[in-house]
Each structure stands twice: as C-alpha cells, then as structure tokens.
Amino acid sequence: MSKPYVLVLYYSRHGATRTMAKHIARGIEQSGIEARLRTVPSISTTCEAVEPAIPEEGSLYCTEQDLSNCSGLALGSPTRFGNMAAPLKYFIDGTSAQWLSGTLINKPACVFSSSSSLHGGQETTLLSMMIPLLHHGMVIAGLPYSETALLDTTTGGTPYGATHVAGQNNRALDEIELSLCLAQGKRLGELASKLS
Ligand SMILES: Cc1cc2nc3c(=O)[nH]c(=O)nc-3n(C[C@H](O)[C@H](O)[C@H](O)COP(=O)(O)O)c2cc1C
C-alpha cells in the first residue's frame, strides 16, 4: 500500500496547463500530502499513430492504479472550444471500471484550465470537467472568495477553479494566477487528508 497522495492529472500541448499542474502540486505538498503528477497521451485521427509507453518529456502517463488509489484529484486541461481537450476526455471515457467499483466516491476533486483569451470559455471548460467527476461521486472543491486574489484578478482565476490566460504567445502565469494555483492545491490537499 503506497502513501496517500493526490493525483494531479492533466493534458497539455504547449506547456501552460503543465505549469499550472506543477504549481497546484506544490500547493498540495504544502498541505502535507504527496502530489503525484500524471498526464495522458495525445490522440490522433491516424489509427496507426502510437505514443511511446514512456513520454519523451514531462510526467508519466496515468495508470488505472494511479487513479483508483488517489485520495483526491486535480484535473487540468487546456480550453478547447470552451470544453476540455479530447485526450483528457478520451482518458475519462476509459474509467468505467472506477465508476463500477466506486473507487472515487467521496474523494475531493478540483479542476483547472488554461486558455488563450480571457472570455474564451474557461468557465464552461471547468464546468464540463466537473460533470464526469460528479458521475464518479467525487466532491468538487472550487476556490472560495476568502482567496481575495479572486476579486483582484484581471487575468485568470475563477471560483470554479484556477485558470490561466496564456494569450497568443504563451504568457507566463502572473502572480495572482500562480497564488490561486497554490491555494487550490493546498485546499485540495487539506480536504483529501480530512476525508480519507
Ligand atoms: C483546438 C483548439 C481549440 C482552442 N479553443 C480555445 C478556446 O475555446 N478559447 C480560448 O481562449 N483558447 C482556445 N485555445 C487555446 C488554448 O486553450 C491555449 O493555447 C492554452 O493555453 C493551451 O494550453 P497548453 O499550453 O497546456 O496546451 C484552443 C486551442 C486549440 C489547439
């Protein structure tokens, strides 16, 4: 039996969501519980195209055990047409076993996203990511307004979850976006420790 951990599961094509995932993982670890960073493979319309079993860079691919045994889950995706990216949805569509056995019931979860524009669908993306997690029986944790950065931000950061506005040129996370990623991770870690 491994030590309790919170799974930070994300897809990222250009690195912005991956950077957010790392800051959320830091926040989780600040709460005293381990964070496990995992990603999912890209998918393509070419049926023969396969990814190497171990990614060339970044986090390892998420296994069934990584998901089933977590104490909490932070789920991250780029905003794509106001929705989560297909590779993450494809992975989630493969989680029937977890749904049937109820391994995620009563575990806390949060969602996060990066988009290029401010009003380009971050919040709809976050909501779309919550839906399958609710089917899994997870307890969704957003960001409370006691995080006053939510009132000050002119870029990313929502009560539904941490976000980042990457712009056209992959802008770095600003201080507020970064602090909300940390806060989100810390809150999720604390909840995971209390609920497990
Ligand atoms: C197919 C596709 C659809 C996208 N849709 C949106 C969108 O609806 N709104 C938006 O603001 N940005 C959109 N983007 C931009 C990405 O959300 C943005 O570049 C994001 O920061 C990428 O995250 P990553 O660096 O983790 O891959 C889209 C990008 C692609 C490739």
mmCIF file of all heavy atoms in Angstrom, residues 70-101:
data_model
loop_
_atom_site.group_PDB
_atom_site.id
_atom_site.type_symbol
_atom_site.label_atom_id
_atom_site.label_comp_id
_atom_site.label_asym_id
_atom_site.label_seq_id
_atom_site.Cartn_x
_atom_site.Cartn_y
_atom_site.Cartn_z
ATOM 1 N N CYS A 70 -5.897 7.125 -5.588
ATOM 2 C CA CYS A 70 -5.630 8.501 -5.117
ATOM 3 C C CYS A 70 -6.574 8.868 -3.979
ATOM 4 O O CYS A 70 -7.657 8.300 -3.836
ATOM 5 C CB CYS A 70 -5.757 9.499 -6.275
ATOM 6 S SG CYS A 70 -7.449 9.803 -6.819
ATOM 7 N N SER A 71 -6.150 9.847 -3.171
ATOM 8 C CA SER A 71 -7.019 10.370 -2.108
ATOM 9 C C SER A 71 -7.766 11.603 -2.566
ATOM 10 O O SER A 71 -8.626 12.121 -1.851
ATOM 11 C CB SER A 71 -6.186 10.738 -0.873
ATOM 12 O OG SER A 71 -5.522 9.618 -0.383
ATOM 13 N N GLY A 72 -7.403 12.124 -3.725
ATOM 14 C CA GLY A 72 -8.048 13.313 -4.281
ATOM 15 C C GLY A 72 -7.516 13.514 -5.682
ATOM 16 O O GLY A 72 -6.494 12.918 -6.055
ATOM 17 N N LEU A 73 -8.202 14.354 -6.455
ATOM 18 C CA LEU A 73 -7.834 14.507 -7.867
ATOM 19 C C LEU A 73 -7.916 15.965 -8.290
ATOM 20 O O LEU A 73 -8.942 16.626 -8.069
ATOM 21 C CB LEU A 73 -8.797 13.677 -8.734
ATOM 22 C CG LEU A 73 -8.706 13.853 -10.245
ATOM 23 C CD1 LEU A 73 -7.381 13.299 -10.781
ATOM 24 C CD2 LEU A 73 -9.880 13.148 -10.930
ATOM 25 N N ALA A 74 -6.837 16.474 -8.911
ATOM 26 C CA ALA A 74 -6.875 17.777 -9.584
ATOM 27 C C ALA A 74 -6.787 17.481 -11.071
ATOM 28 O O ALA A 74 -5.840 16.826 -11.525
ATOM 29 C CB ALA A 74 -5.706 18.648 -9.139
ATOM 30 N N LEU A 75 -7.785 17.932 -11.826
ATOM 31 C CA LEU A 75 -7.893 17.591 -13.240
ATOM 32 C C LEU A 75 -7.703 18.854 -14.075
ATOM 33 O O LEU A 75 -8.421 19.836 -13.883
ATOM 34 C CB LEU A 75 -9.275 16.985 -13.494
ATOM 35 C CG LEU A 75 -9.532 16.331 -14.837
ATOM 36 C CD1 LEU A 75 -8.686 15.062 -14.999
ATOM 37 C CD2 LEU A 75 -11.017 15.967 -14.982
ATOM 38 N N GLY A 76 -6.736 18.835 -15.010
ATOM 39 C CA GLY A 76 -6.429 20.051 -15.761
ATOM 40 C C GLY A 76 -6.420 19.834 -17.259
ATOM 41 O O GLY A 76 -5.944 18.807 -17.747
ATOM 42 N N SER A 77 -6.936 20.830 -17.980
ATOM 43 C CA SER A 77 -6.975 20.737 -19.443
ATOM 44 C C SER A 77 -6.864 22.125 -20.047
ATOM 45 O O SER A 77 -7.375 23.087 -19.482
ATOM 46 C CB SER A 77 -8.315 20.124 -19.879
ATOM 47 O OG SER A 77 -8.468 20.227 -21.285
ATOM 48 N N PRO A 78 -6.268 22.226 -21.247
ATOM 49 C CA PRO A 78 -6.412 23.475 -21.992
ATOM 50 C C PRO A 78 -7.886 23.664 -22.356
ATOM 51 O O PRO A 78 -8.611 22.668 -22.491
ATOM 52 C CB PRO A 78 -5.598 23.247 -23.277
ATOM 53 C CG PRO A 78 -4.864 21.972 -23.111
ATOM 54 C CD PRO A 78 -5.507 21.210 -22.001
ATOM 55 N N THR A 79 -8.312 24.895 -22.485
ATOM 56 C CA THR A 79 -9.651 25.188 -23.012
ATOM 57 C C THR A 79 -9.638 24.943 -24.510
ATOM 58 O O THR A 79 -8.809 25.505 -25.227
ATOM 59 C CB THR A 79 -10.016 26.654 -22.718
ATOM 60 O OG1 THR A 79 -10.205 26.798 -21.316
ATOM 61 C CG2 THR A 79 -11.282 27.085 -23.438
ATOM 62 N N ARG A 80 -10.551 24.100 -24.981
ATOM 63 C CA ARG A 80 -10.636 23.846 -26.430
ATOM 64 C C ARG A 80 -12.090 24.000 -26.858
ATOM 65 O O ARG A 80 -12.921 23.165 -26.515
ATOM 66 C CB ARG A 80 -10.124 22.457 -26.767
ATOM 67 C CG ARG A 80 -8.604 22.416 -26.596
ATOM 68 C CD ARG A 80 -7.992 21.408 -27.512
ATOM 69 N NE ARG A 80 -6.554 21.572 -27.524
ATOM 70 C CZ ARG A 80 -5.724 20.663 -27.952
ATOM 71 N NH1 ARG A 80 -6.192 19.512 -28.399
ATOM 72 N NH2 ARG A 80 -4.439 20.884 -27.976
ATOM 73 N N PHE A 81 -12.337 25.095 -27.573
ATOM 74 C CA PHE A 81 -13.703 25.420 -27.983
ATOM 75 C C PHE A 81 -14.644 25.383 -26.776
ATOM 76 O O PHE A 81 -15.747 24.841 -26.832
ATOM 77 C CB PHE A 81 -14.179 24.475 -29.100
ATOM 78 C CG PHE A 81 -13.284 24.509 -30.313
ATOM 79 C CD1 PHE A 81 -12.621 23.373 -30.737
ATOM 80 C CD2 PHE A 81 -13.070 25.698 -31.008
ATOM 81 C CE1 PHE A 81 -11.774 23.407 -31.840
ATOM 82 C CE2 PHE A 81 -12.223 25.738 -32.118
ATOM 83 C CZ PHE A 81 -11.578 24.589 -32.528
ATOM 84 N N GLY A 82 -14.167 25.943 -25.671
ATOM 85 C CA GLY A 82 -14.986 26.035 -24.461
ATOM 86 C C GLY A 82 -15.216 24.713 -23.770
ATOM 87 O O GLY A 82 -16.136 24.593 -22.946
ATOM 88 N N ASN A 83 -14.368 23.740 -24.044
ATOM 89 C CA ASN A 83 -14.560 22.408 -23.486
ATOM 90 C C ASN A 83 -13.189 21.804 -23.172
ATOM 91 O O ASN A 83 -12.167 22.344 -23.570
ATOM 92 C CB ASN A 83 -15.291 21.546 -24.529
ATOM 93 C CG ASN A 83 -16.185 20.506 -23.899
ATOM 94 O OD1 ASN A 83 -15.744 19.756 -23.037
ATOM 95 N ND2 ASN A 83 -17.424 20.452 -24.341
ATOM 96 N N MET A 84 -13.192 20.660 -22.471
ATOM 97 C CA MET A 84 -11.896 20.029 -22.195
ATOM 98 C C MET A 84 -11.321 19.413 -23.477
ATOM 99 O O MET A 84 -12.062 19.106 -24.417
ATOM 100 C CB MET A 84 -12.037 18.972 -21.094
ATOM 101 C CG MET A 84 -12.497 17.628 -21.538
ATOM 102 S SD MET A 84 -12.483 16.439 -20.174
ATOM 103 C CE MET A 84 -14.163 16.552 -19.602
ATOM 104 N N ALA A 85 -10.003 19.222 -23.493
ATOM 105 C CA ALA A 85 -9.322 18.668 -24.668
ATOM 106 C C ALA A 85 -9.662 17.181 -24.828
ATOM 107 O O ALA A 85 -9.808 16.448 -23.845
ATOM 108 C CB ALA A 85 -7.812 18.849 -24.516
ATOM 109 N N ALA A 86 -9.760 16.741 -26.086
ATOM 110 C CA ALA A 86 -10.164 15.363 -26.398
ATOM 111 C C ALA A 86 -9.297 14.293 -25.711
ATOM 112 O O ALA A 86 -9.835 13.287 -25.241
ATOM 113 C CB ALA A 86 -10.176 15.156 -27.905
ATOM 114 N N PRO A 87 -7.965 14.448 -25.623
ATOM 115 C CA PRO A 87 -7.175 13.378 -24.990
ATOM 116 C C PRO A 87 -7.592 13.125 -23.538
ATOM 117 O O PRO A 87 -7.600 11.970 -23.085
ATOM 118 C CB PRO A 87 -5.732 13.904 -25.074
ATOM 119 C CG PRO A 87 -5.752 14.810 -26.262
ATOM 120 C CD PRO A 87 -7.090 15.477 -26.229
ATOM 121 N N LEU A 88 -7.962 14.189 -22.831
ATOM 122 C CA LEU A 88 -8.377 14.005 -21.439
ATOM 123 C C LEU A 88 -9.760 13.348 -21.394
ATOM 124 O O LEU A 88 -10.002 12.446 -20.588
ATOM 125 C CB LEU A 88 -8.387 15.356 -20.709
ATOM 126 C CG LEU A 88 -8.472 15.246 -19.202
ATOM 127 C CD1 LEU A 88 -7.244 14.550 -18.626
ATOM 128 C CD2 LEU A 88 -8.623 16.623 -18.568
ATOM 129 N N LYS A 89 -10.651 13.794 -22.288
ATOM 130 C CA LYS A 89 -11.998 13.199 -22.342
ATOM 131 C C LYS A 89 -11.885 11.716 -22.720
ATOM 132 O O LYS A 89 -12.607 10.872 -22.166
ATOM 133 C CB LYS A 89 -12.839 13.975 -23.369
ATOM 134 C CG LYS A 89 -14.240 13.443 -23.588
ATOM 135 C CD LYS A 89 -15.107 13.684 -22.364
ATOM 136 C CE LYS A 89 -16.594 13.499 -22.646
ATOM 137 N NZ LYS A 89 -16.956 12.198 -23.187
ATOM 138 N N TYR A 90 -10.972 11.411 -23.629
ATOM 139 C CA TYR A 90 -10.770 10.020 -24.056
ATOM 140 C C TYR A 90 -10.320 9.174 -22.859
ATOM 141 O O TYR A 90 -10.809 8.064 -22.649
ATOM 142 C CB TYR A 90 -9.723 9.988 -25.167
ATOM 143 C CG TYR A 90 -9.515 8.625 -25.770
ATOM 144 C CD1 TYR A 90 -10.422 8.094 -26.676
ATOM 145 C CD2 TYR A 90 -8.400 7.863 -25.426
ATOM 146 C CE1 TYR A 90 -10.231 6.834 -27.223
ATOM 147 C CE2 TYR A 90 -8.211 6.599 -25.966
ATOM 148 C CZ TYR A 90 -9.126 6.101 -26.864
ATOM 149 O OH TYR A 90 -8.938 4.860 -27.400
ATOM 150 N N PHE A 91 -9.400 9.724 -22.078
ATOM 151 C CA PHE A 91 -8.936 9.002 -20.884
ATOM 152 C C PHE A 91 -10.108 8.774 -19.923
ATOM 153 O O PHE A 91 -10.316 7.665 -19.419
ATOM 154 C CB PHE A 91 -7.819 9.787 -20.179
ATOM 155 C CG PHE A 91 -7.351 9.139 -18.906
ATOM 156 C CD1 PHE A 91 -6.334 8.188 -18.934
ATOM 157 C CD2 PHE A 91 -7.943 9.450 -17.690
ATOM 158 C CE1 PHE A 91 -5.929 7.559 -17.768
ATOM 159 C CE2 PHE A 91 -7.543 8.821 -16.514
ATOM 160 C CZ PHE A 91 -6.529 7.879 -16.555
ATOM 161 N N ILE A 92 -10.885 9.828 -19.691
ATOM 162 C CA ILE A 92 -12.001 9.722 -18.733
ATOM 163 C C ILE A 92 -13.032 8.697 -19.227
ATOM 164 O O ILE A 92 -13.610 7.950 -18.435
ATOM 165 C CB ILE A 92 -12.646 11.106 -18.496
ATOM 166 C CG1 ILE A 92 -11.662 12.017 -17.755
ATOM 167 C CG2 ILE A 92 -13.941 10.982 -17.703
ATOM 168 C CD1 ILE A 92 -12.101 13.457 -17.663
ATOM 169 N N ASP A 93 -13.231 8.662 -20.547
ATOM 170 C CA ASP A 93 -14.187 7.691 -21.095
ATOM 171 C C ASP A 93 -13.721 6.253 -20.867
ATOM 172 O O ASP A 93 -14.507 5.318 -21.029
ATOM 173 C CB ASP A 93 -14.421 7.941 -22.591
ATOM 174 C CG ASP A 93 -15.331 9.137 -22.837
ATOM 175 O OD1 ASP A 93 -15.829 9.728 -21.864
ATOM 176 O OD2 ASP A 93 -15.544 9.484 -24.018
ATOM 177 N N GLY A 94 -12.483 6.076 -20.487
ATOM 178 C CA GLY A 94 -11.958 4.737 -20.203
ATOM 179 C C GLY A 94 -11.982 4.404 -18.721
ATOM 180 O O GLY A 94 -11.297 3.467 -18.290
ATOM 181 N N THR A 95 -12.752 5.161 -17.926
ATOM 182 C CA THR A 95 -12.722 4.931 -16.474
ATOM 183 C C THR A 95 -13.995 4.226 -15.972
ATOM 184 O O THR A 95 -14.392 4.420 -14.821
ATOM 185 C CB THR A 95 -12.503 6.256 -15.695
ATOM 186 O OG1 THR A 95 -13.582 7.173 -16.018
ATOM 187 C CG2 THR A 95 -11.179 6.899 -16.047
ATOM 188 N N SER A 96 -14.592 3.397 -16.820
ATOM 189 C CA SER A 96 -15.810 2.668 -16.399
ATOM 190 C C SER A 96 -15.534 1.773 -15.187
ATOM 191 O O SER A 96 -16.400 1.618 -14.324
ATOM 192 C CB SER A 96 -16.336 1.795 -17.535
ATOM 193 O OG SER A 96 -16.606 2.581 -18.646
ATOM 194 N N ALA A 97 -14.344 1.173 -15.153
ATOM 195 C CA ALA A 97 -14.041 0.255 -14.046
ATOM 196 C C ALA A 97 -14.092 0.997 -12.711
ATOM 197 O O ALA A 97 -14.647 0.499 -11.718
ATOM 198 C CB ALA A 97 -12.664 -0.377 -14.254
ATOM 199 N N GLN A 98 -13.540 2.222 -12.696
ATOM 200 C CA GLN A 98 -13.553 3.020 -11.466
ATOM 201 C C GLN A 98 -14.989 3.410 -11.094
ATOM 202 O O GLN A 98 -15.363 3.449 -9.930
ATOM 203 C CB GLN A 98 -12.704 4.288 -11.621
ATOM 204 C CG GLN A 98 -11.203 4.052 -11.561
ATOM 205 C CD GLN A 98 -10.664 3.422 -12.824
ATOM 206 O OE1 GLN A 98 -11.286 3.468 -13.882
ATOM 207 N NE2 GLN A 98 -9.517 2.786 -12.726
ATOM 208 N N TRP A 99 -15.795 3.701 -12.128
ATOM 209 C CA TRP A 99 -17.188 4.063 -11.882
ATOM 210 C C TRP A 99 -17.960 2.870 -11.314
ATOM 211 O O TRP A 99 -18.701 3.003 -10.333
ATOM 212 C CB TRP A 99 -17.821 4.559 -13.189
ATOM 213 C CG TRP A 99 -19.265 4.883 -13.075
ATOM 214 C CD1 TRP A 99 -19.831 5.956 -12.444
ATOM 215 C CD2 TRP A 99 -20.358 4.111 -13.598
ATOM 216 N NE1 TRP A 99 -21.202 5.906 -12.536
ATOM 217 C CE2 TRP A 99 -21.554 4.777 -13.250
ATOM 218 C CE3 TRP A 99 -20.437 2.933 -14.328
ATOM 219 C CZ2 TRP A 99 -22.815 4.295 -13.610
ATOM 220 C CZ3 TRP A 99 -21.684 2.451 -14.694
ATOM 221 C CH2 TRP A 99 -22.847 3.140 -14.328
ATOM 222 N N LEU A 100 -17.739 1.694 -11.921
ATOM 223 C CA LEU A 100 -18.469 0.498 -11.481
ATOM 224 C C LEU A 100 -18.100 0.116 -10.047
ATOM 225 O O LEU A 100 -18.953 -0.291 -9.266
ATOM 226 C CB LEU A 100 -18.151 -0.685 -12.418
ATOM 227 C CG LEU A 100 -18.894 -0.671 -13.748
ATOM 228 C CD1 LEU A 100 -18.305 -1.697 -14.702
ATOM 229 C CD2 LEU A 100 -20.387 -0.939 -13.529
ATOM 230 N N SER A 101 -16.810 0.261 -9.726
ATOM 231 C CA SER A 101 -16.394 -0.147 -8.376
ATOM 232 C C SER A 101 -16.494 0.997 -7.367
ATOM 233 O O SER A 101 -16.356 0.780 -6.169
ATOM 234 C CB SER A 101 -14.965 -0.693 -8.409
ATOM 235 O OG SER A 101 -14.115 0.305 -8.939
#
